[in-house]
Amino acid sequence: MRNALVVHEIASVISFQAFGESFAGQVLHACEGRFLVELPDMEADVDPVALLHTAVEAAAAHLDHPLEPAEGPAFAPTGRVVFGYVMLPQLTGSPSWDADGDAPLVLSLGREDLHMLRIAYSSGGGFDGPYEPGPWRWYLGHRVPRDTCISETRVIAPALTGEVAAEVGVLTAEVLTGEMPLPR
């Protein structure tokens, strides 16, 4: 596996070995990192609210019934993170994502501050520098992002288009129904 990563020039991306992360997780993060570096529209102007609307519509179509968000889609820059989010209430039969069992599913499309992430990865060493926007990424979880990072499950999606937003919407519907588990 490691030889294949070297051949495909992915191994060099695995520079930060997360404590306790499996080799498979490291490979997935390395592939995602390589994938994001090669995205032509990484710096494109994005309307996260419009893409979230598209995702919710696709989720509702997949479920074959209307899906009323509990909150959003809304744009919510906070701290050093810029993102849009939508809260989707649990459906009958939805799995529990929190200790109480009643948390909504939160779909986010956001940009983390790469400078603050480097500080976090280095155990908090460093100073607050200028905001350095990272790539746009999709996330699924049960909390609205706050402060400097989005600590939810990342969804690897190839581009910031309506078609991809619809695919993320189908994935979201599958998580809502429990057909696909939400990794913790």
Side-chain angles (χ1 to χ4, degrees), residues 61-138:
H62 184 76
L63 295 170
D64 204 24
H65 64 78
L67 188 58
E68 287 297 321
E71 188 176 318
F75 184 68
T78 177
R80 294 177 68 125
V81 178
V82 174
F83 65 97
Y85 73 97
V86 61
M87 284 184 172
L88 301 170
Q90 289 190 356
L91 305 174
T92 304
S94 287
S96 173
W97 298 293
D98 69 340
D100 297 332
D102 60 353
L105 182 64
V106 178
L107 174 62
S108 303
L109 177 57
R111 299 183 87 169
E112 295 180 305
D113 181 353
L114 295 179
H115 178 77
M116 294 306 288
L117 284 177
R118 280 194 294 277
I119 289 175
Y121 287 150
S122 66
S123 301
F127 62 93
D128 290 353
Y131 173 69
E132 184 182 340
W136 287 96
R137 292 179 173 160
W138 292 93

Side-chain angles (χ1 to χ4, degrees), residues 4-22:
L5 295 175
V6 170
V7 167
H8 294 285
E9 299 176 0
I10 294 172
S12 62
V13 180
I14 306 178
S15 57
F16 174 72
Q17 303 270 335
F19 292 111
E21 185 170 34
S22 68

Side-chain angles (χ1 to χ4, degrees), residues 11 24 28-29 31 33 43 61 63-64 76 78 81 86 121 130 133 153 167 179:
L28 183 59
H29 286 142
C31 291
E43 296 300 322
L63 295 170
D64 204 24
T78 177
V81 178
V86 61
Y121 287 150
T153 302
E167 290 178 27
E179 185 179 339

